[in-house]
Amino acid sequence: MPVAETPVTITVGDLEVSGVYARPESPFATVVLAHGAGAGMEHPFMTGFTGALNDDGVATLRFNFPYREAGRKFPDRPPAAIATWRAAMEVASRQGSAHGDSGPVWAAGKSFGGRMASMAVAEGMEAAGLVYLGYPLHPPGKPEKLRDEHLYGLELPMLFLQGTRDTFAAQELLEGVVARIGPAAVLTWIDGGDHSFAVAGNKRSAAEIGASLAPAVVDFIRARS
């Protein structure tokens, strides 16, 4: 049976944003998940991914950034997004403590959400590790505008899941970035995947695509727990 989801409210300064917490019996870890720039926490990709994590014994908390909560299209600036990440991680930790869970709490994000998670960690946010579901290394067609400087000081485990057709990350550039980060970072290519991990000729729903990424994440976390 699907794991029951519980709505939660996350306070960020004077604002409140929505979240959804789901906890299977005796989870071995928790993953906090942030959405990308163009869709909120209820996008089927997000729900498919967290549902599959729940089925594999991982508790999850997905949440909205303030701009999405307010119905705006333009993403929040880093300070607001980082503050939201900190608040979401605190809520996840409290939920785990309330249930007596002692497993690690990881931060994960689709595109923008993952980049903001890494920036939050670079500014001191605690996390057991980071998972990037399509890291936006540069804007499409602008490989000279890299978003990588803050990554090189991070020493926690990092998993980069990236489609080989993702226009937000030229393969040779991302491979170079991951190599420079060092052994804590692992890059796994999804053959034929675009920025949403859709593969041409392979008709799958967004929920199915999100769910398909969960096993690699579960294996990565288990190996480091």
Side-chain angles (χ1 to χ4, degrees):
M1 292 180 60
V3 175
E5 295 187 334
T6 303
V8 296
T9 298
I10 300 168
T11 302
V12 188
D14 296 332
L15 303 174
E16 290 184 342
V17 297
S18 301
V20 176
Y21 179 72
R23 180 186 178 274
E25 185 176 355
S26 302
F28 72 89
T30 297
V31 169
V32 182
L33 178 66
H35 58 79
M41 68 174 183
E42 294 300 339
H43 190 276
F45 177 94
M46 302 282 288
T47 60
F49 179 69
T50 56
L53 289 180
N54 298 154
D55 290 342
D56 282 338
V58 178
T60 58
L61 172 66
R62 62 182 191 272
F63 66 93
N64 277 336
F65 286 112
Y67 79 96
R68 189 72 189 183
E69 193 77 10
R72 299 192 301 269
K73 292 184 177 181
F74 193 78
D76 298 307
R77 301 295 298 170
I82 289 170
T84 307
W85 252 115
R86 288 180 178 275
M89 291 292 282
E90 290 173 1
V91 169
S93 295
R94 289 199 300 270
Q95 288 281 354
S97 296
H99 289 94
D101 299 334
S102 59
V105 181
W106 285 61
K110 177 72 181 77
S111 191
F112 169 80
R115 184 166 75 96
M116 291 299 106
S118 65
M119 293 178 70
V121 170
E123 293 191 8
M125 184 182 81
E126 292 188 6
L130 286 162
V131 175
Y132 307 109
L133 306 178
Y135 187 82
L137 182 60
H138 56 76
K142 298 180 179 180
E144 72 280 3
K145 295 184 179 295
L146 294 181
R147 302 156 171 161
D148 63 335
E149 290 185 2
H150 68 285
L151 296 174
Y152 302 118
L154 304 183
E155 298 180 351
L156 73 174
M158 286 180 276
L159 174 62
F160 290 78
L161 290 178
Q162 205 84 21
T164 58
R165 293 192 302 114
D166 190 341
T167 57
F168 284 79
Q171 289 190 51
E172 65 278 9
L173 290 178
L174 184 57
E175 288 171 352
V177 167
V178 172
R180 287 193 292 276
I181 292 172
V186 173
L187 171 58
T188 298
W189 290 108
I190 307 300
D191 189 40
D194 61 14
H195 193 54
S196 297
F197 296 95
V199 177
N202 186 357
K203 292 185 178 180
R204 297 179 297 170
S205 68
E208 291 172 327
I209 293 171
S212 73
L213 302 178
V217 175
V218 170
D219 289 347
F220 190 80
I221 293 175
R222 280 193 181 277
R224 289 156 182 81
S225 298

